[in-house]
Amino acid sequence: MLFILLPLHIVDADAADGYYEIDYEVLNADNDSVSMANDYFDKPATLSVEDGERTVQIGINHSNWVVGLQAPEGDDFVDVDVVSEDEEEDVRIVQFVLDEDENLDEPVEMKMHIVVDVLEEDYDHHYTARFQIDEESMTEVDAPLVEE
């Protein structure tokens, strides 16, 4: 008798309702190297699943540098929602809904606007990055980073 083990992808759209911590890395747009912007994002993220809808909450440190972040929605990109912000600590928590057909075996393409004004020459760039979610790191938790 031959058994084949297939990986369990609990982040599929039919995942059980609940909250999950999940690790991720921010990768460059055109290769699998970790982006310098990876350090601006706190790990882990929280994935909320409710009736098949998957919402990701991510903490941003150096919030003043990440002046724009957009997630895919259909064939376009939309601004993520800010659900918590502490200007004094320079942090915020954002969230976005994953498209129903978003396959997390592949990185999620995101648009960013980064402005770093503490360098000798100001850095002000718009670019694409890819958020690679590590499905194997998922652990169930009691609540998201911020409850709405």
Side-chain angles (χ1 to χ4, degrees):
M1 184 177 271
L2 176 65
F3 291 97
I4 298 174
L5 296 177
L6 299 174
L8 173 65
H9 297 288
I10 75 169
V11 292
D12 289 337
D14 60 350
D17 285 2
Y19 305 107
Y20 305 91
E21 279 188 349
I22 190 162
D23 288 328
Y24 67 97
E25 284 186 315
V26 180
L27 306 176
N28 291 326
D30 55 357
N31 62 55
D32 288 339
S33 296
V34 176
S35 169
M36 293 217 24
N38 184 61
D39 293 340
Y40 308 156
F41 295 88
D42 293 330
K43 298 3 175 245
T46 300
L47 174 73
S48 301
V49 179
E50 185 175 340
D51 297 326
E53 183 173 277
R54 301 167 300 163
T55 303
V56 177
Q57 285 188 350
I58 295 176
I60 301 175
N61 58 60
H62 294 87
S63 182
N64 288 328
W65 293 356
V66 183
V67 297
L69 184 63
Q70 295 184 319
E73 184 177 280
D75 293 333
D76 203 5
F77 288 85
V78 297
D79 291 335
V80 297
D81 295 322
V82 176
V83 293
S84 173
E85 187 166 22
D86 184 334
E87 290 181 16
E88 189 173 307
E89 294 294 322
D90 195 23
V91 296
R92 73 178 176 269
I93 297 183
V94 299
Q95 74 179 19
F96 57 94
V97 175
L98 293 169
D99 282 344
E100 191 174 292
D101 61 348
E102 186 77 50
N103 178 358
L104 295 183
D105 287 340
E106 298 294 323
V108 178
E109 192 172 274
M110 304 284 283
K111 302 286 185 184
M112 290 187 199
H113 181 196
I114 305 292
V115 176
V116 182
D117 58 5
V118 296
L119 303 173
E120 190 173 301
E121 189 173 316
D122 287 352
Y123 180 90
D124 184 346
H125 291 281
H126 294 263
Y127 63 96
T128 300
R130 299 173 307 130
F131 284 52
Q132 178 65 64
I133 296 173
D134 178 8
E135 293 178 273
E136 293 180 15
S137 72
M138 284 185 65
T139 56
E140 194 165 2
V141 293
D142 293 330
L145 295 173
V146 173
E147 296 216 36
E148 291 186 81

